[in-house]
Amino acid sequence: MLRASHIPPVATPALSVLKNSLIPTLSLSSSLSHPYKLSSFAPLHNFLPKTVPPNSSSISFKRFLPMLGPKASFSSGSGTGGGRELLVQHLLVKEDDLKLLLELQQRISGGGEDLSDLAVEYSLCPSKEEGGMLGWVRKGQMVPEFEKAAFSAPLNKVVRCKTKFGWHLLQVISEREESLLGEIQADELHEKIQDPTFAKEAQLIDVREPDEVARASLPGFEVLPLRQFGSWGPEVTTKFDPEKDTYVMCHHGMRSLQVAKWLQSQGFKRVFNVSGGIHAYAVRADPSIPTY
């Protein structure tokens, strides 16, 4: 039985092992090294602990960010939604260790042991530190062999597959409808803000720092500074409604894109990044907003 402590809200860095390619990401600190690095871009460590340690505001935000994926246009209505996302855990052994893999599979099916416990002891994947948990994954994120096995596996059944990395035992813990990550242009947001019901129906988040907000701001946005992520991150799913449309803004749209993607990984169904941030809003939509 999978223990609750083994289920992180977001994907671990091990997901990069199964990626077809890596996409450049932003962070507040230097890149993390990774033994399974597939390109010149370092993957991000995305495991958010259940309990944030003291002085967590000093923790690198990169640990909590998922891989950047395809963006969806708000105006066109296109996006990544409409499919399934799977919560997957696995363990990995070398290609010539099939005998060991079969023994481990028998210990799970016949002996009642947890895949998560065996991953900690035997897996070669960095996800072993989280009991083999890869977090929520969708089609197009994993190498074909692993993806085929995961998306055809019955819930909770442990199956095996082989990839270029070796032999895997994998287990799909849960599934959900794929969420949407969208992008909204400054003029579109300006038009929506003119509707007095918009601020009541949507959730507006500004991830800039307090000194930036003091220079320029938009009404209705709740300020959640990125550098204070350790204080508000663990409470975001209780403070905000994952079912409501959520809009995230920063200065130029880069920090907000990272946070928007993270919110999506936390189960927020419809998240929209303000393209170009408040700077684009000031230049293209409302000249009364100061630029800096």
Side-chain angles (χ1 to χ4, degrees), residues 237-278:
T237 54
T238 56
K239 191 171 184 179
F240 296 91
D241 186 352
E243 301 294 327
K244 287 187 175 182
D245 288 3
T246 304
Y247 297 80
V248 190
M249 180 181 69
C250 68
H251 190 195
H252 290 292
M254 302 305 292
R255 286 172 288 173
S256 56
L257 178 58
Q258 293 184 326
V259 174
K261 187 67 177 177
W262 178 77
L263 288 171
Q264 183 191 32
S265 75
Q266 300 302 289
F268 282 69
K269 297 296 180 62
R270 289 169 57 85
V271 186
F272 300 97
N273 180 50
V274 180
S275 179
I278 197 169

Short mmCIF file of all heavy atoms in Angstrom, two decimals, residues 237-278:
data_model
loop_
_atom_site.label_atom_id
_atom_site.label_comp_id
_atom_site.label_asym_id
_atom_site.label_seq_id
_atom_site.Cartn_x
_atom_site.Cartn_y
_atom_site.Cartn_z
N THR A 237 -3.35 25.69 -1.97
CA THR A 237 -4.54 24.94 -2.36
C THR A 237 -5.70 25.12 -1.38
O THR A 237 -6.83 24.77 -1.71
CB THR A 237 -4.22 23.43 -2.48
OG1 THR A 237 -3.62 22.97 -1.27
CG2 THR A 237 -3.26 23.20 -3.64
N THR A 238 -5.42 25.63 -0.20
CA THR A 238 -6.50 25.91 0.75
C THR A 238 -6.91 27.38 0.69
O THR A 238 -8.06 27.71 0.98
CB THR A 238 -6.07 25.57 2.19
OG1 THR A 238 -4.88 26.30 2.52
CG2 THR A 238 -5.78 24.08 2.32
N LYS A 239 -6.00 28.23 0.28
CA LYS A 239 -6.29 29.66 0.20
C LYS A 239 -7.02 30.01 -1.10
O LYS A 239 -7.79 30.97 -1.15
CB LYS A 239 -4.99 30.45 0.29
CG LYS A 239 -5.20 31.95 0.48
CD LYS A 239 -3.88 32.64 0.78
CE LYS A 239 -4.10 34.13 1.07
NZ LYS A 239 -2.82 34.81 1.39
N PHE A 240 -6.76 29.24 -2.16
CA PHE A 240 -7.38 29.48 -3.45
C PHE A 240 -8.15 28.25 -3.90
O PHE A 240 -7.86 27.14 -3.48
CB PHE A 240 -6.32 29.85 -4.49
CG PHE A 240 -5.60 31.13 -4.21
CD1 PHE A 240 -4.42 31.13 -3.47
CD2 PHE A 240 -6.10 32.35 -4.64
CE1 PHE A 240 -3.75 32.30 -3.19
CE2 PHE A 240 -5.43 33.52 -4.37
CZ PHE A 240 -4.25 33.51 -3.64
N ASP A 241 -9.12 28.47 -4.79
CA ASP A 241 -9.97 27.40 -5.29
C ASP A 241 -9.39 26.86 -6.60
O ASP A 241 -9.36 27.58 -7.61
CB ASP A 241 -11.38 27.93 -5.53
CG ASP A 241 -12.36 26.83 -5.93
OD1 ASP A 241 -11.92 25.69 -6.17
OD2 ASP A 241 -13.57 27.12 -6.02
N PRO A 242 -8.92 25.61 -6.63
CA PRO A 242 -8.34 25.05 -7.85
C PRO A 242 -9.33 24.97 -9.02
O PRO A 242 -8.90 24.81 -10.17
CB PRO A 242 -7.91 23.64 -7.41
CG PRO A 242 -7.72 23.75 -5.94
CD PRO A 242 -8.80 24.69 -5.49
N GLU A 243 -10.62 25.08 -8.74
CA GLU A 243 -11.62 24.99 -9.79
C GLU A 243 -11.84 26.32 -10.51
O GLU A 243 -12.43 26.36 -11.59
CB GLU A 243 -12.96 24.49 -9.22
CG GLU A 243 -12.88 23.12 -8.56
CD GLU A 243 -12.56 22.01 -9.55
OE1 GLU A 243 -13.00 22.12 -10.72
OE2 GLU A 243 -11.87 21.05 -9.16
N LYS A 244 -11.40 27.42 -9.92
CA LYS A 244 -11.63 28.74 -10.51
C LYS A 244 -10.51 29.12 -11.48
O LYS A 244 -9.37 28.68 -11.34
CB LYS A 244 -11.72 29.81 -9.41
CG LYS A 244 -13.01 29.79 -8.61
CD LYS A 244 -13.05 31.00 -7.68
CE LYS A 244 -14.38 31.09 -6.95
NZ LYS A 244 -14.45 32.30 -6.08
N ASP A 245 -10.85 29.97 -12.45
CA ASP A 245 -9.83 30.51 -13.34
C ASP A 245 -8.85 31.34 -12.52
O ASP A 245 -9.25 32.19 -11.71
CB ASP A 245 -10.47 31.40 -14.40
CG ASP A 245 -11.22 30.59 -15.45
OD1 ASP A 245 -11.29 29.36 -15.31
OD2 ASP A 245 -11.76 31.20 -16.39
N THR A 246 -7.57 31.10 -12.71
CA THR A 246 -6.52 31.76 -11.94
C THR A 246 -5.55 32.45 -12.88
O THR A 246 -5.04 31.84 -13.81
CB THR A 246 -5.77 30.75 -11.06
OG1 THR A 246 -6.71 30.05 -10.23
CG2 THR A 246 -4.75 31.44 -10.18
N TYR A 247 -5.29 33.74 -12.62
CA TYR A 247 -4.41 34.54 -13.47
C TYR A 247 -3.18 34.93 -12.65
O TYR A 247 -3.30 35.40 -11.52
CB TYR A 247 -5.13 35.79 -13.97
CG TYR A 247 -6.33 35.48 -14.85
CD1 TYR A 247 -7.55 35.10 -14.28
CD2 TYR A 247 -6.24 35.55 -16.23
CE1 TYR A 247 -8.64 34.80 -15.07
CE2 TYR A 247 -7.33 35.26 -17.03
CZ TYR A 247 -8.53 34.87 -16.45
OH TYR A 247 -9.61 34.59 -17.25
N VAL A 248 -1.99 34.75 -13.24
CA VAL A 248 -0.75 35.03 -12.53
C VAL A 248 0.05 36.08 -13.30
O VAL A 248 0.22 35.97 -14.52
CB VAL A 248 0.09 33.75 -12.35
CG1 VAL A 248 1.25 34.01 -11.40
CG2 VAL A 248 -0.77 32.60 -11.84
N MET A 249 0.56 37.08 -12.57
CA MET A 249 1.27 38.18 -13.20
C MET A 249 2.58 38.48 -12.47
O MET A 249 2.68 38.29 -11.26
CB MET A 249 0.38 39.45 -13.19
CG MET A 249 1.02 40.68 -13.81
SD MET A 249 -0.08 42.13 -13.72
CE MET A 249 -0.04 42.45 -11.93
N CYS A 250 3.57 38.95 -13.24
CA CYS A 250 4.81 39.46 -12.65
C CYS A 250 5.24 40.68 -13.45
O CYS A 250 4.40 41.37 -14.04
CB CYS A 250 5.90 38.38 -12.60
SG CYS A 250 6.51 37.88 -14.21
N HIS A 251 6.52 40.96 -13.53
CA HIS A 251 6.99 42.15 -14.25
C HIS A 251 6.94 41.95 -15.76
O HIS A 251 6.35 42.74 -16.48
CB HIS A 251 8.42 42.49 -13.80
CG HIS A 251 8.89 43.82 -14.30
ND1 HIS A 251 10.22 44.19 -14.28
CD2 HIS A 251 8.21 44.87 -14.83
CE1 HIS A 251 10.33 45.43 -14.77
NE2 HIS A 251 9.14 45.86 -15.12
N HIS A 252 7.56 40.86 -16.23
CA HIS A 252 7.62 40.61 -17.66
C HIS A 252 7.01 39.27 -18.08
O HIS A 252 7.05 38.92 -19.25
CB HIS A 252 9.07 40.67 -18.15
CG HIS A 252 9.66 42.04 -18.14
ND1 HIS A 252 9.24 43.04 -18.98
CD2 HIS A 252 10.64 42.59 -17.37
CE1 HIS A 252 9.93 44.15 -18.76
NE2 HIS A 252 10.78 43.90 -17.77
N GLY A 253 6.46 38.53 -17.15
CA GLY A 253 5.77 37.29 -17.50
C GLY A 253 6.56 36.02 -17.37
O GLY A 253 6.06 34.94 -17.70
N MET A 254 7.79 36.09 -16.86
CA MET A 254 8.61 34.90 -16.75
C MET A 254 8.45 34.20 -15.39
O MET A 254 8.21 33.00 -15.32
CB MET A 254 10.09 35.25 -16.98
CG MET A 254 10.34 35.89 -18.33
SD MET A 254 9.72 34.89 -19.72
CE MET A 254 10.82 33.49 -19.64
N ARG A 255 8.56 34.95 -14.32
CA ARG A 255 8.34 34.36 -12.99
C ARG A 255 6.91 33.84 -12.87
O ARG A 255 6.66 32.78 -12.31
CB ARG A 255 8.61 35.41 -11.91
CG ARG A 255 10.07 35.73 -11.66
CD ARG A 255 10.24 36.89 -10.72
NE ARG A 255 9.89 38.17 -11.34
CZ ARG A 255 9.83 39.34 -10.70
NH1 ARG A 255 10.08 39.39 -9.39
NH2 ARG A 255 9.52 40.44 -11.32
N SER A 256 5.98 34.62 -13.41
CA SER A 256 4.57 34.22 -13.32
C SER A 256 4.31 32.94 -14.11
O SER A 256 3.47 32.13 -13.72
CB SER A 256 3.66 35.34 -13.83
OG SER A 256 3.99 35.71 -15.15
N LEU A 257 5.04 32.73 -15.20
CA LEU A 257 4.87 31.50 -15.97
C LEU A 257 5.30 30.29 -15.15
O LEU A 257 4.66 29.25 -15.17
CB LEU A 257 5.69 31.56 -17.27
CG LEU A 257 5.63 30.30 -18.15
CD1 LEU A 257 4.20 29.97 -18.54
CD2 LEU A 257 6.50 30.49 -19.38
N GLN A 258 6.39 30.43 -14.42
CA GLN A 258 6.84 29.34 -13.56
C GLN A 258 5.81 29.03 -12.47
O GLN A 258 5.49 27.88 -12.20
CB GLN A 258 8.18 29.69 -12.92
CG GLN A 258 9.32 29.77 -13.92
CD GLN A 258 10.66 30.02 -13.26
OE1 GLN A 258 10.74 30.72 -12.25
NE2 GLN A 258 11.72 29.46 -13.80
N VAL A 259 5.29 30.07 -11.84
CA VAL A 259 4.30 29.87 -10.78
C VAL A 259 3.02 29.30 -11.37
O VAL A 259 2.37 28.44 -10.76
CB VAL A 259 4.04 31.19 -10.03
CG1 VAL A 259 2.90 31.00 -9.02
CG2 VAL A 259 5.29 31.66 -9.31
N ALA A 260 2.62 29.77 -12.55
CA ALA A 260 1.41 29.26 -13.20
C ALA A 260 1.54 27.76 -13.47
O ALA A 260 0.61 26.99 -13.24
CB ALA A 260 1.15 30.01 -14.50
N LYS A 261 2.71 27.37 -13.94
CA LYS A 261 2.94 25.95 -14.20
C LYS A 261 2.92 25.15 -12.91
O LYS A 261 2.40 24.03 -12.86
CB LYS A 261 4.29 25.78 -14.91
CG LYS A 261 4.58 24.37 -15.38
CD LYS A 261 3.64 23.95 -16.48
CE LYS A 261 3.99 22.55 -16.99
NZ LYS A 261 3.04 22.09 -18.01
N TRP A 262 3.48 25.72 -11.85
CA TRP A 262 3.45 25.03 -10.56
C TRP A 262 2.02 24.89 -10.04
O TRP A 262 1.63 23.84 -9.54
CB TRP A 262 4.31 25.79 -9.54
CG TRP A 262 4.29 25.15 -8.19
CD1 TRP A 262 4.96 24.04 -7.80
CD2 TRP A 262 3.53 25.58 -7.05
NE1 TRP A 262 4.68 23.75 -6.48
CE2 TRP A 262 3.80 24.68 -6.00
CE3 TRP A 262 2.66 26.64 -6.82
CZ2 TRP A 262 3.23 24.81 -4.74
CZ3 TRP A 262 2.08 26.78 -5.56
CH2 TRP A 262 2.37 25.86 -4.54
N LEU A 263 1.22 25.94 -10.18
CA LEU A 263 -0.18 25.88 -9.76
C LEU A 263 -0.92 24.79 -10.53
O LEU A 263 -1.73 24.05 -9.98
CB LEU A 263 -0.87 27.22 -9.98
CG LEU A 263 -0.48 28.35 -9.02
CD1 LEU A 263 -1.08 29.68 -9.49
CD2 LEU A 263 -0.93 28.05 -7.60
N GLN A 264 -0.62 24.67 -11.82
CA GLN A 264 -1.23 23.63 -12.62
C GLN A 264 -0.89 22.25 -12.06
O GLN A 264 -1.74 21.37 -11.97
CB GLN A 264 -0.75 23.74 -14.07
CG GLN A 264 -1.40 22.73 -15.01
CD GLN A 264 -0.73 22.70 -16.36
OE1 GLN A 264 0.47 22.92 -16.46
NE2 GLN A 264 -1.50 22.43 -17.40
N SER A 265 0.37 22.09 -11.65
CA SER A 265 0.79 20.80 -11.09
C SER A 265 0.11 20.51 -9.76
O SER A 265 0.05 19.36 -9.33
CB SER A 265 2.31 20.77 -10.92
OG SER A 265 2.72 21.55 -9.81
N GLN A 266 -0.38 21.55 -9.09
CA GLN A 266 -1.07 21.37 -7.81
C GLN A 266 -2.56 21.06 -7.98
O GLN A 266 -3.29 20.94 -7.01
CB GLN A 266 -0.91 22.62 -6.95
CG GLN A 266 0.53 22.98 -6.62
CD GLN A 266 1.25 21.86 -5.90
OE1 GLN A 266 0.98 21.58 -4.74
NE2 GLN A 266 2.16 21.19 -6.58
N GLY A 267 -3.01 20.95 -9.24
CA GLY A 267 -4.39 20.58 -9.48
C GLY A 267 -5.29 21.73 -9.88
O GLY A 267 -6.52 21.54 -10.02
N PHE A 268 -4.74 22.92 -10.08
CA PHE A 268 -5.56 24.05 -10.55
C PHE A 268 -5.95 23.77 -12.00
O PHE A 268 -5.11 23.54 -12.86
CB PHE A 268 -4.78 25.36 -10.43
CG PHE A 268 -4.74 25.90 -9.03
CD1 PHE A 268 -4.01 25.26 -8.03
CD2 PHE A 268 -5.45 27.04 -8.69
CE1 PHE A 268 -3.99 25.75 -6.73
CE2 PHE A 268 -5.44 27.54 -7.39
CZ PHE A 268 -4.71 26.89 -6.40
N LYS A 269 -7.25 23.81 -12.28
CA LYS A 269 -7.76 23.35 -13.57
C LYS A 269 -7.50 24.32 -14.71
O LYS A 269 -7.25 23.91 -15.84
CB LYS A 269 -9.28 23.09 -13.45
CG LYS A 269 -9.65 21.99 -12.48
CD LYS A 269 -9.10 20.65 -12.94
CE LYS A 269 -9.44 19.52 -11.98
NZ LYS A 269 -10.89 19.32 -11.86
N ARG A 270 -7.59 25.62 -14.45
CA ARG A 270 -7.42 26.61 -15.52
C ARG A 270 -6.55 27.76 -14.98
O ARG A 270 -7.01 28.58 -14.19
CB ARG A 270 -8.78 27.15 -15.98
CG ARG A 270 -9.61 26.13 -16.75
CD ARG A 270 -11.04 26.61 -16.95
NE ARG A 270 -11.09 27.89 -17.64
CZ ARG A 270 -11.05 28.05 -18.97
NH1 ARG A 270 -10.96 26.98 -19.75
NH2 ARG A 270 -11.13 29.24 -19.52
N VAL A 271 -5.30 27.78 -15.45
CA VAL A 271 -4.34 28.78 -14.99
C VAL A 271 -3.85 29.57 -16.21
O VAL A 271 -3.51 28.98 -17.24
CB VAL A 271 -3.13 28.14 -14.28
CG1 VAL A 271 -2.23 29.21 -13.69
CG2 VAL A 271 -3.61 27.17 -13.19
N PHE A 272 -3.82 30.90 -16.08
CA PHE A 272 -3.42 31.75 -17.20
C PHE A 272 -2.29 32.69 -16.77
O PHE A 272 -2.40 33.39 -15.77
CB PHE A 272 -4.61 32.56 -17.70
CG PHE A 272 -5.74 31.71 -18.19
CD1 PHE A 272 -6.82 31.42 -17.36
CD2 PHE A 272 -5.72 31.16 -19.46
CE1 PHE A 272 -7.86 30.62 -17.78
CE2 PHE A 272 -6.76 30.34 -19.89
CZ PHE A 272 -7.83 30.07 -19.07
N ASN A 273 -1.24 32.67 -17.57
CA ASN A 273 -0.12 33.57 -17.34
C ASN A 273 -0.36 34.88 -18.10
O ASN A 273 -0.78 34.87 -19.26
CB ASN A 273 1.17 32.92 -17.83
CG ASN A 273 2.37 33.81 -17.63
OD1 ASN A 273 2.60 34.34 -16.54
ND2 ASN A 273 3.17 34.00 -18.68
N VAL A 274 -0.10 36.02 -17.44
CA VAL A 274 -0.25 37.32 -18.10
C VAL A 274 1.00 37.55 -18.94
O VAL A 274 2.08 37.83 -18.42
CB VAL A 274 -0.43 38.44 -17.07
CG1 VAL A 274 -0.57 39.79 -17.80
CG2 VAL A 274 -1.67 38.18 -16.20
N SER A 275 0.86 37.42 -20.25
CA SER A 275 1.99 37.54 -21.17
C SER A 275 2.59 38.95 -21.11
O SER A 275 1.89 39.94 -21.25
CB SER A 275 1.54 37.24 -22.60
OG SER A 275 2.59 37.37 -23.51
N GLY A 276 3.89 39.01 -20.89
CA GLY A 276 4.56 40.30 -20.83
C GLY A 276 4.44 41.00 -19.50
O GLY A 276 5.07 42.05 -19.29
N GLY A 277 3.66 40.44 -18.60
CA GLY A 277 3.52 40.99 -17.26
C GLY A 277 2.93 42.38 -17.20
O GLY A 277 2.32 42.88 -18.16
N ILE A 278 3.12 43.04 -16.07
CA ILE A 278 2.55 44.37 -15.88
C ILE A 278 3.22 45.40 -16.79
O ILE A 278 2.62 46.44 -17.12
CB ILE A 278 2.63 44.79 -14.40
CG1 ILE A 278 1.68 45.97 -14.14
CG2 ILE A 278 4.07 45.11 -14.01
CD1 ILE A 278 1.49 46.28 -12.68
#
